[in-house]
């Protein structure tokens, strides 16, 4: 079955037929369903240090992009500092740009093309969802290289902050 070209929210005003309009929710549903399959991991490992201390996200390999977006919203709304430590890969990388987050100086960050588990199939729009959370040179590298490669590309935290100086490094 062909769904035709991908539709985006910004396309709504340009839709000329009722068929195009009703196909839009189906594409969103399909995209969300595929995004739910992007990875098999569930809740990220987190360590809370008291009620007012930082929330530590440590050694997180990523997982489902939509769930990570929801988790990011929850962390950002918590008002507590968030420390990203150890390894942060795949969907975890969208947590780095939260206004209340810092990246440990000895952390490692890993990027790769989002894909359905055990396949090379890149689900529609998931790379664009992830791109919304990157900025500066990291966004440029995501769009030019990382979102196209299935093999994880790891960089050190200090390498991450060079193209994205808005990302603070955590104090030890």
């Amino acid at each position: 079955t062909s769904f035709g070209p991908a539709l985006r929210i910004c396309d709504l005003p340009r839709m000329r037929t009722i068929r195009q309009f009703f196909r839009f929710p189906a594409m969103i549903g399909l995209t969300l369903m595929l995004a739910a399959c992007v990875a098999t991991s569930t809740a990220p490992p987190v360590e809370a240090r008291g009620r007012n201390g930082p929330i530590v996200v440590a050694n997180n390999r990523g997982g489902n992009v939509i769930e990570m977006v929801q988790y990011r919203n929850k962390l950002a709304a918590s008002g507590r500092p968030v420390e990203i430590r150890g390894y942060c890969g795949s969907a975890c990388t969208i947590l780095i740009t939260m206004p209340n987050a810092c990246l440990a100086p000895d952390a490692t960050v890993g990027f790769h093309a989002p894909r359905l588990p055990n396949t090379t199939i890149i689900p529609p729009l998931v790379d664009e969802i992830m791109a919304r959370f990157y900025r500066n040179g990291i966004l440029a590298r995501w769009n030019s290289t990382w979102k196209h490669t299935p093999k994880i590309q790891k960089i050190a935290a200090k390498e991450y902050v060079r193209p994205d100086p808005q990302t603070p490094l955590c104090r030890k």
Side-chain angles (χ1 to χ4, degrees), residues 1-2 6-7 14 19 39 58 90 95 117 136 139 141 162 167:
T1 304
S2 172
L7 298 173
R14 291 190 290 258
R19 183 176 175 193
S90 193
L95 302 178
N136 303 320
L139 176 60
R141 283 183 76 182
R162 266 188 235 122
T167 298

Side-chain angles (χ1 to χ4, degrees), residues 110-167:
F111 296 90
H112 67 89
R115 61 186 179 273
L116 298 177
N118 304 315
T119 74
T120 57
I121 299 170
I122 298 173
L125 303 179
V126 176
D127 60 327
E128 293 177 36
I129 292 168
M130 293 181 72
R132 287 183 32 219
F133 301 101
Y134 301 140
R135 59 185 175 222
N136 303 320
I138 296 298
L139 176 60
R141 283 183 76 182
W142 172 255
N143 285 325
S144 69
T145 307
W146 293 330
K147 77 176 188 178
H148 304 291
T149 181
K151 187 174 182 205
I152 199 90
Q153 306 295 307
K154 295 180 182 177
I155 61 171
K158 291 180 182 178
E159 225 181 309
Y160 183 100
V161 298
R162 266 188 235 122
D164 185 11
Q166 287 176 261
T167 298

Side-chain angles (χ1 to χ4, degrees), residues 1-151:
T1 304
S2 172
F3 289 97
L7 298 173
R8 298 182 185 153
I9 291 172
C10 58
D11 292 331
L12 283 173
R14 291 190 290 258
M15 291 184 190
R16 293 181 179 20
T17 68
I18 202 78
R19 183 176 175 193
Q20 286 177 319
F21 179 77
F22 284 110
R23 187 172 29 171
F24 184 73
M27 284 303 295
I28 290 175
L30 176 64
T31 299
L32 291 176
M33 180 186 72
L34 289 172
C37 298
V38 168
T40 57
S41 166
T42 55
V46 172
E47 174 190 328
R49 295 184 182 163
R51 291 193 140 167
N52 297 320
I55 298 169
V56 178
V57 177
N59 299 315
N60 187 299
R61 296 179 62 206
N64 178 292
V65 173
I66 300 303
E67 287 177 9
M68 193 63 75
V69 169
Q70 292 169 342
Y71 183 62
R72 175 192 161 95
N73 292 340
K74 184 177 174 182
L75 288 173
S78 75
R80 294 172 60 189
V82 176
E83 297 177 357
I84 299 167
R85 299 194 170 275
Y87 177 70
C88 175
S90 193
C92 173
T93 61
I94 71 171
L95 302 178
I96 297 170
T97 56
M98 289 185 303
N100 55 330
C102 66
L103 186 60
D106 59 348
T108 302
V109 182
F111 296 90
H112 67 89
R115 61 186 179 273
L116 298 177
N118 304 315
T119 74
T120 57
I121 299 170
I122 298 173
L125 303 179
V126 176
D127 60 327
E128 293 177 36
I129 292 168
M130 293 181 72
R132 287 183 32 219
F133 301 101
Y134 301 140
R135 59 185 175 222
N136 303 320
I138 296 298
L139 176 60
R141 283 183 76 182
W142 172 255
N143 285 325
S144 69
T145 307
W146 293 330
K147 77 176 188 178
H148 304 291
T149 181
K151 187 174 182 205

